[in-house]
Amino acid sequence: MFSKRALMRLSVVVLLSLVVSPALAKKISASSSAIELFDAGKFEDAAIALRDVVDGKVRANKKDTQKAEFYLGMALFNLKFYQSSLTLFDQIVATGDGHPYFDETLVWLAKLASALPESAGIIEKVGQYDVAKLDKLKDAKEKGLYGHVVYLMGRFKYQQEEFDEALSLFGKVQKKDKFYAQAKLFEGITHVRLRHARPAIASFRAVIDAEDSGDLDAGNDEERLVDLAWLSLARVYYKASNKVDEATGEFRVDGRVLGNAVEAWNKIEPGSEYWLDAMFEGSWAFFLADEYSRALGNIHTLLSPYFDKNHYPEAYVLKAVVFFYNCQMENASAMVERFHELYDPVQNELEGVLAQNTDNLKFYDFLKAVRAGEANLSPRIQSIVYSALSDRQILRHLEYIRLLDEEEGRLKSSSKVFQSSAVGQQILQDVALGKSFAVDQAGDLARARYDRVLAELQDLMNQVDTVDVEVLSYTRGQLSQDMQNQQLEASRSGRGDVEVDEEHQVWPFDGEYWRDELGFYRQQVTSRCGR
């Protein structure tokens, strides 16, 4: 038999259970029904319900709230509201290992990295993970996710200047992976930062070899990445060819290695976006090899009307230097004057435009106007500015802003219920915040690129003025002995002559350029030293 006290206790327990059970049932029902909506592919309805759980409008324990947070990020991704999806997953990353879906979020960061440009900052978010966690993605169902995340983590380590870890990560990306070429290119760049020439060459060669063997699967970007590998390879060879004799301290050029650089530059075809860069950089290699006719021949191509929207002011500096070394002082002075005639007004106008766009927002508006052809710039600087503000990193920021505009438009085309819901309002807020940040970053980056153009132009002015000073020293008979020796060596080389083999013939330039002649010009350079 129960005593009165025992019966009273039993009654309390029953009463309490009657009070708690309906709320518990409602909590479980709300959370599970939201997941069911997600599983059924009803992502709008699921997102609305999941947002209520995350916001605490529906009572739920911490575990269910965190699950709703993760599922909401997935629902928004499937609805192509990538910015809000990123915001949700970023909150999970910030929580760290304490969040039950921390590991799974890494997969979705990789997916977002394919949907959003690099400027969205996903690399930094991937960088918050322990490298050991990446191995869990090897068995991921989605093809290529492991290689992508490993590449992103390598990029993060590179940014942090943790070069050994970056190299280890880049080396894990396998052939046939979509990001193999990018990983090998950054592996090579990392070796360059560490001054490791041979491993850098091997990394760049790996991209080229993969393309030759048909193992490279970089999609539409394949040709560009291979050209970048050739260009990077040429630069490594060029730098390696310039040596200082440890015993005498004298500068000397390794002709064999320099020849490898020229060969790499020549692999870049005229249709490539890097062809003109290869032509110009090769000109300096020809100068070092005393191949003056070929150096000036390349410059002749660069200055043709076909490329009037591409600017290589350093070309005039190189021409002045070539003429100086061959004691053609009138021609050297003429190049100095031509440089100032062309670029002094450019410098003044560029500085004037910069003074009118002082903060990031103004410079972003200027950037948009330039890209749209509405900047009202003079023909003298229009193409220079357009080229400077066509940097790939800048374009990624503009693409990010365009995608955010698309998301805003996608929200406006969704149902009224979804738009007015808490999740709809959150999407609007996330897009606005993301766009504000992206605009500021784009303006800041564009202004930095613009500043760099001015700094490089000033540096070239200093170089060309140095040539002018040396010309004056020569005319006064005050040229240094070292410079006289270099001029004497140039006159003995005989490599200013144009030599024609059996497969070619000389066709004198008559003032008219032909496209199929570009890249094949040679200019006779006769040394007047000692005359």
Side-chain angles (χ1 to χ4, degrees), residues 37 79 102 192 197 252 310 351 367 508:
L37 287 168
L79 290 167
F102 179 72
V192 170
R252 61 185 180 86
N310 301 84
E351 289 175 343
L367 168 63

Side-chain angles (χ1 to χ4, degrees), residues 422-481:
V423 71
Q425 294 303 303
Q426 187 63 52
I427 289 169
L428 201 60
Q429 182 178 326
D430 291 339
V431 167
L433 187 62
K435 194 187 298 185
S436 174
F437 179 76
V439 165
D440 183 71
Q441 289 291 97
D444 184 59
L445 182 61
R447 194 150 57 98
R449 292 291 186 269
Y450 196 98
D451 284 337
R452 190 170 72 184
V453 169
L454 276 169
E456 289 173 351
L457 188 55
Q458 183 58 58
D459 182 56
L460 291 176
M461 286 187 170
N462 295 339
Q463 291 181 39
V464 82
D465 287 341
T466 299
V467 175
D468 200 29
V469 169
E470 293 291 352
V471 169
L472 185 60
S473 297
Y474 177 89
T475 56
R476 291 177 175 175
Q478 298 174 345
L479 198 63
S480 68
Q481 187 60 50

Side-chain angles (χ1 to χ4, degrees), residues 41-53:
K42 298 178 180 179
F43 298 122
E44 278 196 6
D45 295 335
I48 292 172
L50 289 164
R51 184 80 251 178
D52 287 344
V53 176

Side-chain angles (χ1 to χ4, degrees), residues 91 178 205 358:
Q91 290 170 6
K178 184 180 178 181
R205 280 282 181 190
T358 52

Side-chain angles (χ1 to χ4, degrees), residues 160 282 296 318 394 404 418 427 499:
Q160 301 300 307
L296 294 190
L318 178 54
I394 292 175
L404 290 172
F418 187 77
I427 289 169
E499 298 179 0

Side-chain angles (χ1 to χ4, degrees), residues 37-197:
L37 287 168
F38 176 89
D39 290 338
K42 298 178 180 179
F43 298 122
E44 278 196 6
D45 295 335
I48 292 172
L50 289 164
R51 184 80 251 178
D52 287 344
V53 176
V54 171
D55 289 344
K57 293 179 181 179
V58 175
R59 292 180 61 185
N61 60 35
K62 184 178 180 181
K63 184 178 179 181
D64 285 336
T65 301
Q66 289 176 322
K67 183 176 183 179
E69 189 177 31
F70 178 68
Y71 270 79
L72 178 56
M74 293 193 295
L76 290 169
F77 180 91
N78 282 290
L79 290 167
K80 297 185 178 180
F81 292 116
Y82 300 123
Q83 184 61 32
S84 285
S85 177
L86 180 60
T87 300
L88 262 297
F89 290 131
D90 188 29
Q91 290 170 6
I92 294 174
V93 172
T95 303
D97 267 330
H99 199 291
Y101 293 91
F102 179 72
D103 289 354
E104 287 88 341
T105 295
L106 184 57
V107 173
W108 289 89
L109 288 177
K111 291 183 177 183
L112 281 166
S114 296
L116 292 172
E118 189 177 303
S119 47
I122 297 174
I123 287 175
E124 290 73 19
K125 294 170 179 48
V126 170
Q128 302 310 304
Y129 284 81
D130 190 287
V131 172
K133 289 188 179 292
L134 302 187
D135 289 338
K136 294 182 179 181
L137 291 178
K138 284 184 177 179
D139 300 324
K141 294 180 181 178
E142 294 82 358
K143 183 182 178 182
L145 273 185
Y146 175 73
H148 194 176
V149 174
V150 168
Y151 166 69
L152 293 174
M153 182 67 84
R155 290 285 305 278
F156 177 77
K157 295 298 182 183
Y158 176 85
Q159 290 175 5
Q160 301 300 307
E161 297 189 353
E162 298 175 22
F163 296 132
D164 289 337
E165 285 196 54
L167 288 172
S168 175
L169 288 160
F170 291 138
K172 292 181 179 181
V173 183
Q174 301 298 307
K175 287 182 182 179
K176 288 292 188 182
D177 192 287
K178 184 180 178 181
F179 293 90
Y180 177 75
Q182 291 96 321
K184 283 298 173 185
L185 283 170
F186 262 95
E187 184 180 81
I189 292 168
T190 306
H191 281 304
V192 170
R193 290 287 301 272
L194 292 169
R195 301 180 183 277
H196 298 160

